[in-house]
Amino acid sequence: MKKRNTYRLFLGILISSLILNACVKNYFEFDKISTEIEWNPSLAVPLINSSLGINDILRDTGETSFLQIDSTNLFSITYSQDLFSQTADEFIEIQDQNYYEAFSEIDYNLAGGFNNDSVVMTKDNVRFPFSVAVTQVIDSMFIESAVMRIQVNSSFNHRGKLVISFPSMRLNGVPFQQVIDINTPGNFNYDQNFDQFENYFVDLSNFGITFNSFFVNYELTLYDSGSGTIGASDETTIDIDFTDIEYKYMFGFFGNMEEIFPSDSFAISVFENISEAEAGLSDPKFSISVDNSFGIPIRFGFENFSSYSNITQVYTDFEGDSIPTFENDIAPFYISSPDYEYLQPITSILSQRTFSNVGTNIVEIFSTLPRLITYQFGYILNPEELPVDQNNFIAGDSRMDVTFDMEIPLFGYAQYAGLRDTFAIDFSSIFGDYVEIQSGLIRFEIQNGLPVDVLLQGYFLENLNDAPLDSLFNQESDRELITAGEVDANFRVDQETGKTSSIPEIILDKDKMDRIEDTRHLILWFNVRTTDYENETAVKFYSDYSVDLKMGIQIEGQLKF
Amino acid sequence: MQKIIRNIIFILACIFASHLLLAQQNNSLYYLNNVQQTNQLNPSITNNCKFSIGGIIMPVTGQILPPLYFNYSNNAFSYKNIIYPGEGSQSDSLQIVFGNLSDAEKFLKQLKEVNYLAFETNIDIIQATLNLNNQAFSFSITDKILTRFYYGEDFIKFIYELNGNSLLGTDAKFNIGTEFSYYREYGFGYQRSINEKLQVGGRAKLLFGKANVYTKNNEFSWYTDETDFAYDFNTNLEVNMSIPGITMNDISYSDSSHAFVVDNENNISEVDSLASYITNNKNLGFAIDLGGTYILNDEFTFYASIIDLGYINWKSNAYNISNTGNFQFDGVDIAEVLNDDSVNLTDQIMDTIFNATTVELKTGDYKTFLPTKIYLGTTYRLNEKIAFGGLIRTEIFQRKMHSSLTLSMNNYFSRKFQTSVSYSIINNSYFNFGFGFVYNTGPFQFYIVNDNITGMIFPQTARNINFRFGINWVFGCGVTNTTLIE
């Protein structure tokens, strides 16, 4: 009986162990562990929290050096272009001069031959033309530097002395003079350079009688060497090269020269990419500034002056009474000249011509947001319509600098549908290769302090040149309007009280995520318009304007193997 | 009398009910009075032998069945909660809890506010007990290794669903921490019968710490705003560590790797030998165990003990890494990067978050307290061979009390053979049946104790697995000197 009970107990334990073992084993067969994991992580990330000033926003569109702030913190788009600079050297360049003279048997005979073993031959006030441009009349000048080369050859079989003096070229009233000892009878050669001419005053008018004339006195004395005669072919030649003449001051009448420069242009980069917009800018201004130290009457003018707009795709000429074209005889632009004080530095004079929307078509032109300004300009010296003035003067360091300035205060109204920005985006990089994005939510919190309504649309693209995979908003009506700040009577948005608040959301559901999973680029496209654009209400943009922007994303993924 | 008992039972029930049911276990051993190791749980209890000795250094027996205590404890889930046979078309495979949403949600719901995972191992190098009339002396050397991890339920939620789902708009508390301690304990015990009803005992313990990692503060919360998803972090993290062979110079945030990097010198090779590591006596600590046994009458006996009341002062290669403060992240300021395509937004976010917080590395001693255990129990003697016991064990850890309840039936078949069967509520688990026995044969005493035999049979259901076994050499054993069998 006891054995039977023991047997039963043993059997019971054995069966129980087998059952239990089977139960336990089921849980620990690790090769049967399923790899199916349903993991749906949902990540919420605050991406952006910024207070973007208007400068930051405009900076994202490119170059910002054109933005300036005036004393009231009003923004202006400004461009300053140096049109040209001209120095005195480029303006009037003095040509190299050459003066040749000779003494021969004729001059010997005219002087009466040897008398008491010597003869003196003279040629006074020999007049040479001082070579300048055709229409220029040079009265006089102070020399800064010059080089004079004197070459003398003498075949007279006598010793002698040659005195060359320049009565119209004086330093402190003393003419420049050289005495040359002819000490080699029959074959004398002399070649010497002189360059100490600083501050020499050169009178090219012979004391007001003439102009462009240079005078030289020659005196040749021969000492009889014993023959008492000269050969028929004997002579003394004097060759003077007066070169590299730089002036400190020059006086005269510098002609009616007209200079027209080649066409040129500059881009208004802020409007460069705008192809669809309408705008009205209230107070654009242009100005031409000429800083001049030439003592010459000068008229400045445009040969042509126009703009090109992407919106109209045509060139439009600037027109109006204040536009300084050469055809404009109503209000020609004459450049002011400085006064001259004897040997004192010349102080330049600034002349400025400003032309605005008054009496011009500038407002019309800027309503098309021109991206290019083209121009061709020039000047006329001593314009014929002015009385002839022979008191032109110029200093060696005289110059004329012409600058073109454009200022467009951000004051007006506009509508623009083309503001865009492109971002690189790769959804697979957010969770890695093993998690597929299922859906997403992009939420903005915006406090808009700009007087601009914004309508946002975005396009998902795999390649920038391909058609979009999908858009951010399926329907136009889905697009969230970011309402403009409230503009007060001074055309201004009060940043304390005038900001408007909006919390737009972009929902990316499963279907959309399937369509855009290969996205590599997101192009955001903004329609912007100023407050109350329909009524052409002008607004002003101040430097303290800002948009408080928060952006967060919530993305739900699913594990995939 | 009955009123006193009722009051005591009421107080015990309140204590038990008011705390989380998590603890390292050894409760079935408590009433196995014949084995000297019971003295480790209540120093007022001693066995019925004149002299007992055991330990890994004992020849043959110490190697055949080394005296070992092992405990695994998990208050949040069992194996089958995360891996289980599939159903229907999936019946031939094992599913994991995150295989489908509904199971995952159930799993997340069952997590506690704070969840614990613990491993504990004790190896008795030597333990000896000498009983002399009404008093007993004991000596022990024990190596103890304790490892615990704990984490908030929000941490697991975050791993599974990140911050954009149920944690959105809540202050998610991660509360991740760990404690690892390895130390050697030298115990000197004394037990005395004050009178026929009262026995008291105590043990002074000298502790030598070998290695430690200790999360002193583990507060980390992450709030994600529902509207703009802005983050608000609150941290009060402080980790102390004493790791032989590691010298830390600095800790700093690396912009390139987006992580905190520790500049350290690994001098582990300079640690001469395992012996020098084990004999490291720079980390000195002290602890006491106290216990009392009160025999009310022939039926009822009451027990109380407090174990491991003490600390270790860690001085060797001691470091403190802390991160305290509050910081917010609500997005990157794009004003500076609008026109800079080279800027990586992800890097910007990471750098902004990590640069906003400061992690400090300091050197200096620190102190860790041992996880103190309090035992309160009673036995009811049915007859000379059978006694029923009840025991509440409370462990103080991370400034919280963690309790378990064990009911046992203890059989005293003979002076050679004693058994205990138990039922415990442990780690929020109500299916724990334990078993233990002590068997003397000749000079050898074999013992094995387990609080959850069901966990050994069905490990997939177990939140707690523990066992203690070994062989003692015993001499002069009789039936006297027990509180139950007189």
Side-chain angles (χ1 to χ4, degrees):
Chain A
M1 188 67 180
K2 194 174 180 181
K3 274 187 177 178
R4 188 178 296 169
N5 286 341
T6 306
Y7 174 75
R8 285 176 179 166
L9 178 64
F10 176 76
L11 192 63
I13 292 172
L14 184 64
I15 293 170
S16 301
S17 300
L18 289 173
I19 293 169
L20 293 174
N21 181 262
C23 293
V24 172
K25 190 182 174 189
N26 281 348
Y27 282 87
F28 293 95
E29 291 176 317
F30 296 116
D31 57 325
K32 289 187 174 178
I33 289 181
S34 169
T35 56
E36 285 186 18
I37 292 179
E38 194 170 353
W39 184 47
N40 291 42
S42 179
L43 181 66
V45 184
L47 283 181
I48 295 169
N49 179 17
S50 290
S51 183
L52 299 174
I54 188 169
N55 207 17
D56 299 318
I57 296 167
L58 291 173
R59 186 174 59 190
D60 189 42
T61 67
E63 169 75 32
T64 55
S65 58
F66 54 82
L67 283 175
Q68 299 291 327
I69 304 167
D70 70 9
S71 58
T72 66
N73 290 330
L74 179 66
F75 264 116
S76 293
I77 297 171
T78 62
Y79 280 92
S80 183
Q81 181 89 355
D82 293 330
L83 296 186
F84 92 108
S85 292
Q86 191 150 36
T87 61
D89 287 347
E90 297 162 342
F91 199 65
I92 298 178
E93 185 179 5
I94 298 179
Q95 299 167 17
D96 290 342
Q97 314 290 323
N98 178 258
Y99 311 123
Y100 178 81
E101 190 55 77
F103 287 94
S104 63
E105 184 186 21
I106 298 171
D107 299 307
Y108 173 80
N109 292 331
L110 285 174
F114 285 116
N115 183 15
N116 293 326
D117 297 332
S118 66
V119 59
V120 178
M121 296 167 274
T122 58
K123 292 186 179 181
D124 288 337
N125 285 327
V126 179
R127 179 177 179 275
F128 294 100
F130 195 84
S131 302
V132 292
V134 176
T135 60
Q136 292 176 351
V137 175
I138 309 298
D139 292 340
S140 58
M141 71 174 107
F142 283 95
I143 292 177
E144 171 74 30
S145 65
V147 176
M148 181 177 284
R149 181 183 183 185
I150 301 177
Q151 294 172 281
V152 178
N153 296 303
S154 178
S155 58
F156 289 113
N157 282 318
H158 305 282
R159 293 175 56 248
K161 180 177 72 175
L162 176 63
V163 178
I164 307 171
S165 63
F166 302 84
S168 58
M169 187 164 71
R170 296 165 179 263
L171 178 64
N172 299 324
V174 179
F176 179 70
Q177 176 178 288
Q178 288 297 313
V179 178
I180 300 164
D181 182 17
I182 301 172
N183 50 17
T184 308
N187 186 23
F188 175 75
N189 297 305
Y190 175 89
D191 188 347
Q192 194 73 41
N193 283 336
F194 303 92
D195 59 5
Q196 301 298 317
F197 294 104
E198 185 177 3
N199 292 329
Y200 268 87
F201 176 75
V202 180
D203 179 7
L204 300 173
S205 68
N206 196 17
F207 304 102
I209 299 171
T210 182
F211 56 88
N212 295 352
S213 299
F214 191 76
F215 295 88
V216 185
N217 293 337
Y218 304 92
E219 181 185 278
L220 175 64
T221 302
L222 295 177
Y223 301 103
D224 184 7
S225 59
S227 65
T229 61
I230 59 171
S233 59
D234 291 347
E235 65 175 357
T236 296
T237 61
I238 304 106
D239 197 3
I240 299 172
D241 292 317
F242 196 23
T243 61
D244 301 329
I245 303 167
E246 302 286 342
Y247 50 86
K248 279 189 175 178
Y249 300 97
M250 182 184 287
F251 307 91
F253 175 76
F254 300 146
N256 302 107
M257 188 172 68
E258 180 176 314
E259 180 79 43
I260 303 296
F261 295 96
S263 288
D264 205 346
S265 64
F266 66 88
I268 305 176
S269 58
V270 70
F271 299 146
E272 218 160 14
N273 297 317
I274 296 178
S275 56
E276 288 181 42
E278 291 175 36
L281 293 167
S282 295
D283 196 17
K285 293 187 186 76
F286 286 83
S287 67
I288 302 288
S289 302
V290 182
D291 195 32
N292 176 43
S293 54
F294 291 120
I296 311 167
I298 299 173
R299 178 178 176 181
F300 178 91
F302 284 107
E303 186 73 9
N304 64 64
F305 182 32
S306 60
S307 70
Y308 180 81
S309 163
N310 286 345
I311 298 167
T312 60
Q313 298 191 345
V314 296
Y315 284 91
T316 306
D317 287 339
F318 285 87
E319 293 173 350
D321 292 345
S322 57
I323 308 293
T325 61
F326 284 124
E327 288 75 30
N328 181 357
D329 292 330
I330 298 173
F333 182 27
Y334 295 114
I335 309 302
S336 300
S337 302
D339 295 327
Y340 172 74
E341 291 184 34
Y342 182 71
L343 293 185
Q344 293 300 308
I346 297 174
T347 304
S348 63
I349 301 288
L350 180 67
S351 303
Q352 198 166 49
R353 166 63 61 88
T354 299
F355 37 104
S356 63
N357 54 356
V358 179
T360 69
N361 63 345
I362 286 176
V363 167
E364 178 194 336
I365 283 177
F366 274 86
S367 68
T368 66
L369 305 182
R371 72 164 178 86
L372 197 67
I373 303 293
T374 63
Y375 57 87
Q376 184 177 23
F377 72 94
Y379 61 81
I380 301 171
L381 299 183
N382 295 305
E384 289 176 350
E385 67 269 22
L386 297 180
V388 174
D389 181 359
Q390 198 151 332
N391 293 322
N392 295 170
F393 61 87
I394 185 172
D397 57 0
S398 288
R399 58 185 298 125
M400 183 164 63
D401 298 313
V402 182
T403 308
F404 178 77
D405 291 296
M406 183 183 77
E407 180 184 356
I408 309 169
L410 290 183
F411 175 31
Y413 59 91
Q415 173 177 268
Y416 174 40
L419 195 61
R420 54 178 261 175
D421 213 339
T422 304
F423 300 89
I425 189 168
D426 183 356
F427 292 116
S428 66
S429 68
I430 296 176
F431 284 124
D433 293 337
Y434 295 107
V435 177
E436 186 176 69
I437 305 286
Q438 292 290 296
S439 60
L441 169 73
I442 303 172
R443 181 178 289 146
F444 299 88
E445 265 193 88
I446 298 169
Q447 301 281 323
N448 188 6
L450 299 181
V452 175
D453 288 326
V454 179
L455 261 179
L456 173 68
Q457 179 58 293
Y459 299 98
F460 299 95
L461 299 95
E462 185 173 3
N463 298 302
L464 281 173
N465 296 323
D466 292 350
L469 301 170
D470 202 351
S471 59
L472 211 52
F473 299 101
N474 296 335
Q475 306 289 333
E476 280 298 303
S477 57
D478 293 340
R479 298 172 65 184
E480 292 270 2
L481 175 68
I482 301 163
T483 311
E486 295 168 8
V487 176
D488 63 18
N490 297 316
F491 314 101
R492 182 184 177 93
V493 179
D494 188 310
Q495 296 301 294
E496 295 294 326
T497 60
K499 284 186 174 179
T500 58
S501 179
S502 53
I503 307 180
E505 282 184 354
I506 299 167
I507 296 170
L508 307 172
D509 57 21
K510 177 77 172 62
D511 291 341
K512 186 180 286 286
M513 289 307 302
D514 288 344
R515 289 194 293 272
I516 66 174
E517 63 179 344
D518 296 326
T519 295
R520 294 295 179 272
H521 305 278
L522 171 64
I523 296 178
L524 291 182
W525 197 280
F526 303 92
N527 286 22
V528 293
R529 64 184 180 208
T530 51
T531 304
D532 195 24
Y533 168 82
E534 295 80 0
N535 296 317
E536 298 187 354
T537 301
V539 299
K540 288 183 175 178
F541 287 82
Y542 287 92
S543 61
D544 62 339
Y545 283 1
S546 65
V547 177
D548 302 328
L549 170 67
K550 284 186 177 182
M551 179 180 138
I553 61 167
Q554 187 179 17
I555 295 174
E556 189 166 306
Q558 187 175 61
L559 197 66
K560 62 177 182 181
F561 288 103
Chain B
M1 186 68 219
Q2 286 181 330
K3 188 178 177 184
I4 294 171
I5 293 171
R6 276 202 306 272
N7 288 342
I8 290 171
I9 291 172
F10 176 74
I11 291 167
L12 294 178
C14 289
I15 293 171
F16 176 74
S18 63
H19 305 302
L20 292 172
L21 298 176
L22 174 130
Q24 272 70 247
Q25 306 306 318
N26 210 11
N27 297 357
S28 298
L29 177 67
Y30 205 85
Y31 297 127
L32 282 175
N33 309 52
N34 280 358
V35 64
Q36 64 167 342
Q37 277 74 13
T38 306
N39 182 264
Q40 292 180 9
L41 307 184
N42 186 339
S44 70
I45 301 174
T46 186
N47 65 355
N48 59 349
C49 302
K50 292 289 186 188
F51 181 67
S52 308
I53 185 166
I56 200 168
I57 64 169
M58 296 303 291
V60 185
T61 56
Q63 288 80 53
I64 291 175
L65 195 62
L68 182 70
Y69 166 62
F70 172 80
N71 184 82
Y72 156 77
S73 184
N74 186 334
N75 81 325
F77 57 88
S78 62
Y79 176 87
K80 76 168 189 178
N81 291 139
I82 56 171
I83 297 177
Y84 45 85
E87 295 175 350
S89 61
Q90 306 287 326
S91 59
D92 61 341
S93 63
L94 285 174
Q95 302 296 303
I96 58 176
V97 68
F98 296 128
N100 67 70
L101 281 177
S102 63
D103 287 356
E105 284 172 5
K106 279 183 203 166
F107 174 75
L108 293 174
K109 278 181 184 171
Q110 78 176 42
L111 292 174
K112 311 301 172 193
E113 186 178 347
V114 182
N115 304 277
Y116 297 88
L117 178 65
F119 301 90
E120 185 180 9
T121 303
N122 296 350
I123 299 174
D124 292 335
I125 295 172
I126 186 171
Q127 178 166 3
T129 305
L130 177 63
N131 280 308
L132 296 172
N133 296 324
N134 290 329
Q135 55 186 350
F137 300 90
S138 63
F139 172 70
S140 63
I141 302 175
T142 308
D143 272 5
K144 294 188 172 182
I145 299 171
L146 170 66
T147 307
R148 295 178 207 250
F149 303 99
Y150 49 96
Y151 51 91
E153 62 174 316
D154 290 344
F155 176 66
I156 302 297
K157 281 185 181 174
F158 177 79
I159 290 175
Y160 182 63
E161 58 185 35
L162 300 182
N163 67 330
N165 200 338
S166 65
L167 297 180
L168 197 60
T170 67
D171 202 15
K173 292 180 170 59
F174 286 13
N175 298 337
I176 313 164
T178 187
E179 179 176 354
F180 168 79
S181 286
Y182 169 35
Y183 63 94
R184 175 163 292 176
E185 172 188 293
Y186 293 80
F188 304 91
Y190 177 70
Q191 180 268 353
R192 183 181 179 82
S193 297
I194 302 298
N195 53 44
E196 288 184 351
K197 289 184 176 293
L198 180 63
Q199 294 172 195
V200 295
R203 181 182 297 105
K205 300 196 282 195
L206 193 59
L207 312 174
F208 294 99
K210 308 303 178 187
N212 177 259
V213 177
Y214 170 56
T215 306
K216 184 178 180 184
N217 296 309
N218 70 329
E219 294 160 27
F220 177 85
S221 67
W222 178 354
Y223 177 80
T224 305
D225 188 88
E226 282 177 292
T227 304
D228 60 13
F229 311 134
Y231 298 158
D232 187 349
F233 298 96
N234 274 293
T235 65
N236 180 18
L237 298 172
E238 187 175 352
V239 178
N240 294 318
M241 58 184 69
S242 167
I243 304 175
I246 302 283
T247 301
M248 297 186 189
N249 299 319
D250 190 20
I251 187 168
S252 59
Y253 175 69
S254 164
D255 286 337
S256 57
S257 61
H258 304 302
F260 287 103
V261 178
V262 178
D263 174 18
N264 68 73
E265 296 168 24
N266 188 336
N267 302 320
I268 289 175
S269 60
E270 294 174 14
V271 178
D272 297 330
S273 63
L274 185 61
S276 67
Y277 167 59
I278 291 174
T279 56
N280 176 15
N281 58 5
K282 292 178 183 172
N283 305 313
L284 190 60
F286 301 95
I288 57 168
D289 300 340
L290 298 171
T293 303
Y294 182 73
I295 303 168
L296 183 66
N297 52 37
D298 288 345
E299 288 82 27
F300 286 100
T301 303
F302 294 96
Y303 303 85
S305 59
I306 181 165
I307 305 298
D308 285 338
L309 185 61
Y311 65 91
I312 298 175
N313 202 16
W314 300 90
K315 291 183 173 180
S316 174
N317 279 41
Y319 297 99
N320 171 283
I321 297 174
S322 63
N323 169 223
T324 304
N326 167 266
F327 62 98
Q328 291 84 31
F329 174 72
D330 50 10
V332 173
D333 187 349
I334 58 168
E336 295 176 4
V337 303
L338 261 178
N339 205 30
D340 188 350
D341 294 337
S342 66
V343 174
N344 183 309
L345 194 59
T346 307
D347 290 349
Q348 284 280 316
I349 292 171
M350 298 289 281
D351 291 347
T352 304
I353 290 175
F354 284 108
N355 285 321
T357 183
T358 305
V359 175
E360 283 187 302
L361 172 69
K362 291 187 285 193
T363 58
D365 306 352
Y366 65 94
K367 188 181 289 184
T368 59
F369 290 93
L370 301 186
T372 302
K373 279 78 74 174
I374 299 170
Y375 293 89
L376 295 172
T378 183
T379 55
Y380 171 75
R381 192 175 71 172
L382 184 65
N383 55 45
E384 288 189 350
K385 291 191 182 296
I386 296 176
F388 295 99
L391 181 69
I392 290 176
R393 178 186 189 274
T394 298
E395 182 172 335
I396 301 169
F397 172 63
Q398 285 284 320
R399 303 182 200 96
K400 288 181 180 173
M401 299 173 78
H402 308 278
S403 299
S404 63
L405 171 68
T406 298
L407 303 174
S408 61
M409 183 176 79
N410 306 286
N411 304 292
Y412 303 89
F413 295 112
S414 69
R415 67 184 180 89
K416 290 186 175 180
F417 188 46
Q418 183 184 358
T419 64
S420 176
V421 292
S422 64
Y423 166 77
S424 298
I425 301 175
I426 309 170
N427 296 337
N428 306 295
S429 168
Y430 301 89
F431 191 68
N432 304 289
F433 294 95
F435 177 73
F437 75 89
V438 182
Y439 181 69
N440 291 10
T441 175
F444 302 114
Q445 180 186 58
F446 175 74
Y447 65 95
I448 183 164
V449 189
N450 171 278
D451 277 331
N452 184 12
I453 193 74
T454 48
M456 304 291 277
I457 299 170
F458 305 106
Q460 72 273 19
T461 63
R463 293 186 181 187
N464 174 265
I465 294 175
N466 68 45
F467 52 81
R468 180 189 285 268
F469 54 69
I471 298 174
N472 290 319
W473 294 32
V474 292
F475 304 97
C477 297
V479 295
T480 57
N481 206 20
T482 72
T483 55
L484 288 169
I485 309 297
E486 299 175 54

